[in-house]
Amino acid sequence: GADFAEIAQAESADQPTASIGGDLGVFSRGRMVPQFDSVVFATAPGQLAGPVQTSFGLHVIEVQERWSQDSVKARHILLPIARTDESEIQLLTLADSLEDLGEEMALDQAASLAGLTSTELDIAQNFPFLPGAGQVSEGADWAFEEASPGDVSPVFETSTAFYSLELISSEPEGILPIEDAKAAIESTLLFDAKMNQAQMDAQELVALVRGGSVLSNAAANLELDVRMSGPFSRSDFVAGIGRQNAAIGAAFGLGLGEVSEVVPTPANVYVIEVLTRTDADSTAWL
């Protein structure tokens, strides 16, 4: 019965996603490593899956929505497999072997010979992130500043993984060909449609409240969810809301018992009612 986002924030070793409740956003089939990918796309929305073992550790996955046959919205909790002295030596030996093989052949061949799998992924220079490995700034610097197509990188290490990259191709900033952009366009259009509907529902909800309805009753009439959150401070991560965004700011701008206007954030739309408030104890700052 515990909240998935709260557990992810407290326990997940994937730090970039842990801070936002394990949220992986919307991704297409083939974006994640094969073991993870196959489980996600075989799991129904609203269901938990796992633990799933990948080279990054053990994942507990929640599939939140299926946006199309080949794209889903999901979140995960990554539990690293504890390294012993023996396993550390094995990992370092494997990393050295992969690096040596990568000097002589393509990465997929090197990985196969080393008993590993390779996955084709996109990396953006302004957001160098790989699922499971987290921020891969060192690898991104290599890819964008040093590498030519076909080059295989040395093995890099993050707090959760060893990884190696092969630069297949690079695209300058500009307009993508329609086939390359198709999946992203479809996901964006579907997301925009859902956000527009959420905005309209929220506006209707606010109108009912301003007309004298109790928020919970008005939401029930519109078949909208009401969730309790808190108590929380301005800097806390709030399950279902996030951290330091417009919704948090709106909550702290309301008086006790007040209901907000429609509050959009990049991923959701909120109408907020403040039920209790505890003033900060200024003496605790001294």
Side-chain angles (χ1 to χ4, degrees), residues 114-145:
L116 303 170
T117 57
S118 62
T119 303
E120 187 172 325
L121 299 170
D122 296 325
I123 298 177
Q125 189 169 16
N126 60 349
F127 185 58
F129 172 81
L130 290 178
Q135 292 289 337
V136 291
S137 300
E138 192 175 13
D141 288 344
W142 171 86
F144 285 100
E145 297 175 10

Side-chain angles (χ1 to χ4, degrees), residues 223-282:
E223 298 183 346
L224 301 176
D225 290 336
V226 175
R227 299 184 184 181
M228 302 283 287
S229 297
F232 55 85
S233 70
R234 290 179 185 271
S235 60
D236 284 346
F237 173 87
V238 183
I241 298 178
R243 176 186 282 121
Q244 296 179 338
N245 57 29
I248 300 293
F252 279 91
L254 296 171
L256 188 63
E258 290 185 338
V259 176
S260 73
E261 297 296 326
V262 177
V263 183
T265 69
N268 290 290
V269 176
Y270 300 91
V271 175
I272 300 166
E273 180 181 17
V274 173
L275 301 178
T276 62
R277 176 184 290 277
T278 302
D279 292 332
D281 181 4
S282 59

